[in-house]
Structure formats: C-alpha cells, structure tokens
C-alpha cells in the first residue's frame, strides 16, 4: 500500500486564492524541499496534536504556497491518496 500526493505528481493543481489580494496562490513545492529537513517534522508533530490521528498526519504532504502578487505565503497540508 503506498500513498502519493496528487499535487506533487501533477495530477491536481492548486486552486487556492490568496486571502489578502484574491489572486491565485502558486504551489512552490513540498515544505521539506523548501526549507530544509527540520521544520516539516515539527509541522507534522503539530498536526498530530491538533487532529489526533497520527497515521493520517503522516500521510500529509506539506506544501508551501506563495502569492506572487503580494508576497503572502502559507503552509498547506495536503492529504495524500492511496495509489
Ligand atoms: Zn505534495
Ligand atoms: Zn496576494
């Protein structure tokens, strides 16, 4: 049983809008690719605490999103799907 992120695999495109200016947010990739090996683990631990489902939390792909228009950026956890 394997899981994959549809966004990383290019099967889905991010369709979120910037909360500040309403322009489409761009997906700049997985957080671990973006900021090094330490922050994603901390993020996943935080998610475990908040949603209470450790197995599910481990199936989350943490993406960094960015608005090229105003510079807003946010972290978006995306649930991976069974392949
Ligand atoms: Zn992904
Ligand atoms: Zn914006």
């Amino acid at each position: 049983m394997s899981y994959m992120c549809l966004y990383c695999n290019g099967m889905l495109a991010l369709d979120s809008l910037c909360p500040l200016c309403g322009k489409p947010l761009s997906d700049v990739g997985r957080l671990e690719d973006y900021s090094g090996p330490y922050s994603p683990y901390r993020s996943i631990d935080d998610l475990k605490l908040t949603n209470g489902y450790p197995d599910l939390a481990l199936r989350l792909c943490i993406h960094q999103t960015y608005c090229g228009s105003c510079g807003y950026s946010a972290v978006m956890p995306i649930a991976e799907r069974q392949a």
Side-chain angles (χ1 to χ4, degrees):
M1 194 85 71
S2 68
Y3 287 78
M4 66 172 193
C5 171
L6 297 181
Y7 294 86
C8 284
N9 282 274
M11 297 173 69
L12 272 181
L14 197 77
D15 62 355
S16 296
L17 297 179
C18 175
L20 297 183
C21 71
K23 297 285 197 313
L25 288 172
S26 18
D27 182 354
V28 293
R30 297 185 68 138
L31 188 61
E32 55 205 271
D33 296 337
Y34 186 75
S35 61
Y38 292 104
S39 44
Y41 294 111
R42 182 177 303 146
S43 300
I44 287 170
D45 283 343
D46 288 345
L47 289 167
K48 276 187 197 173
L49 293 175
T50 52
N51 71 14
Y53 296 99
D55 287 340
L56 188 63
L58 291 172
R59 304 296 178 206
L60 289 174
C61 181
I62 311 296
H63 277 246
Q64 177 81 38
T65 63
Y66 175 73
C67 175
S69 183
C70 73
Y72 173 86
S73 68
V75 167
M76 184 176 298
I78 292 170
E80 298 185 350
R81 302 291 176 83
Q82 276 183 25

